Amino acid sequence: MSAEVQSTLGQYGAQSALAPEGVGATAINGLTIGMTLAFGVIFVLLVLFVWAVLAGRLAAKTWWIWAGGIVLPLVSVGILIGFSTVTLQQITREDPKALVIEVTGKQFWWDVVYDPEGWALRDANEIIIPKDRPVTFRLNSDNVIHSFWVPKLTGKMDMIPGRVNTLPAMATETGRFRGQCAEFCGLSHPKMAFEVLVVEPEEFDAWMQRASGEARDAARSELTRGRDVFVEAGCPACHEIRGVAKGGDLGPDLSRVGGRASLGAGMWPMNQGTLAGWIADPQAMKPGAKMPAYNHLPGPDLRALSAYLASLK
Ligand code: HEC
Ligand SMILES: [Cu+2]
């Protein structure tokens, strides 16, 4: 994954439904282009027709009402329904062998659990999937309604409290795609994005092997201090780091936080500086975020803590 740690921030096309790199998004894009062309032709014919009538080049006939008012809409809308039904079936067809990834919408971030019935690896804000293998997103929310949308991958699906919606997907290219919450969910709704990293299947399997263990050890002394600050400052009340603190799930899992390309659910580049800024004042970066400010931490502690978090890859 090292080759692609660069985040999609400011990257043109990373969130474009018109540059599909997934089976679902490709089908939707095809339908969009087809519809635009078909109705473009009808529109041009209509303009010509109105022009011809107004210019007195056509004499009015009653059968036009039948043709233009009944036959044309029935045929064009009928064809449209046909194509969109086929597309809908394509993009909602679930593969029973697909890797299940449970994503829960939070305010304003994403809780991610890979293969909840088996592997059960918890992560957040960045989803790694293998290319050319089917996955099924199992979508849920424990607060308000959010909407899960990765335009390059497939269609959009609501995340509704008390209900599980499933969204199948399959990426056809490796790379980083950007996703965005697509349902107004509170003050920082526009700051609720995420990234999907698509890797080669072998690379995914290797990551799977690696990722389940404890978080990277804080072997160097300055990192050890950071780890202690993490525990002493009470961060485990909301955050887990595997092997360090079994914590609450009120905030994102931080076991590999420094390995994510972006901080704060797809919002800022991930590095020690942004991490320190976030810890000192999350509200300034994301109004309404459900994390208290730690601006009382002494400078050396904040530096040690942010260096430690940045090292967790
Ligand atoms: C009361 C619960 C709570 C406590 C305590 C808390 N956090 Fe958070 N933290 C959150 C929430 C909620 C978010 C997600 C905010 C968002 O993106 O909307 C978050 C996000 C983060 C992130 C960004 C993660 C990412 O994937 O981008 C980091 C880093 C972080 N917290 C570090 C800390 C540290 C370090 C401490 C202790 C000094 C701490 N947090 C204490 C709730 C908490
Ligand atoms: Cu949301």
Side-chain angles (χ1 to χ4, degrees), residues 160-236:
I160 301 171
R163 193 194 144 87
V164 175
N165 280 341
T166 54
L167 180 70
M170 184 152 85
T172 51
E173 292 295 334
T174 58
R176 247 177 210 284
F177 310 161
R178 190 175 164 83
Q180 168 68 43
C181 178
E183 179 79 44
F184 181 75
C185 58
L187 205 52
S188 278
H189 156 70
K191 292 188 168 168
M192 182 172 169
F194 64 106
E195 292 184 313
V196 173
L197 174 59
V198 186
V199 297
E200 295 293 347
E202 311 79 63
E203 206 181 337
F204 181 80
D205 293 340
W207 176 71
M208 228 175 137
Q209 296 296 324
R210 254 195 346 262
S212 308
E214 298 188 343
R216 183 178 285 193
D217 193 22
R220 289 189 354 247
S221 56
E222 66 270 32
L223 297 182
T224 315
R225 175 66 195 137
R227 188 187 56 192
D228 294 345
V229 175
F230 178 79
V231 177
E232 287 160 16
C235 318

Side-chain angles (χ1 to χ4, degrees), residues 2 6 13 20 74 88 96 104-105 113 144 152 165 171 174 205 221 225 254 275 289 300:
S2 46
Q6 202 71 12
L74 275 183
L88 195 65
T104 308
V113 178
V144 298
K152 280 173 86 76
N165 280 341
T174 58
D205 293 340
S221 56
R225 175 66 195 137
L254 300 180
L275 276 165

Side-chain angles (χ1 to χ4, degrees), residues 70-222:
I70 294 174
V71 178
L72 184 67
L74 275 183
V75 171
S76 55
V77 174
I79 292 176
L80 181 65
I81 289 176
F83 276 113
S84 49
T85 308
V86 170
T87 308
L88 195 65
Q89 268 171 350
Q90 268 175 1
I91 66 177
T92 53
R93 193 180 301 130
E94 268 178 58
D95 188 322
K97 293 194 297 294
L99 167 71
V100 174
I101 303 178
E102 192 174 78
V103 186
T104 308
K106 303 279 186 163
Q107 269 167 329
F108 303 91
W109 57 283
W110 314 80
D111 184 54
V112 179
V113 178
Y114 294 83
D115 187 17
E117 275 89 47
W119 181 23
L121 177 79
R122 168 161 261 124
D123 201 1
N125 293 340
E126 186 179 76
I127 305 175
I128 300 177
I129 61 171
K131 180 187 152 197
D132 292 330
R133 278 200 209 151
V135 294
T136 297
F137 294 109
R138 205 183 273 172
L139 306 174
N140 196 352
S141 164
D142 66 1
N143 46 91
V144 298
I145 300 179
H146 302 271
S147 186
F148 181 90
W149 193 26
V150 189
K152 280 173 86 76
L153 192 58
T154 188
K156 182 193 296 179
M157 182 67 82
D158 276 1
M159 309 173 103
I160 301 171
R163 193 194 144 87
V164 175
N165 280 341
T166 54
L167 180 70
M170 184 152 85
T172 51
E173 292 295 334
T174 58
R176 247 177 210 284
F177 310 161
R178 190 175 164 83
Q180 168 68 43
C181 178
E183 179 79 44
F184 181 75
C185 58
L187 205 52
S188 278
H189 156 70
K191 292 188 168 168
M192 182 172 169
F194 64 106
E195 292 184 313
V196 173
L197 174 59
V198 186
V199 297
E200 295 293 347
E202 311 79 63
E203 206 181 337
F204 181 80
D205 293 340
W207 176 71
M208 228 175 137
Q209 296 296 324
R210 254 195 346 262
S212 308
E214 298 188 343
R216 183 178 285 193
D217 193 22
R220 289 189 354 247
S221 56
E222 66 270 32

Side-chain angles (χ1 to χ4, degrees), residues 108-109 125 235 238-239 250 252 260 264 278 286 290-291 294:
F108 303 91
W109 57 283
N125 293 340
C235 318
C238 301
H239 295 287
L250 291 174
R260 300 203 250 284
W278 172 270
K286 202 184 247 196
K290 294 185 162 45
M291 169 164 159
Y294 285 83

Side-chain angles (χ1 to χ4, degrees), residues 17-18 20 23-37 83 87:
L18 300 176
V23 173
T26 304
I28 294 172
N29 190 42
L31 185 68
T32 308
I33 292 174
M35 269 170 66
T36 309
L37 288 178
F83 276 113
T87 308

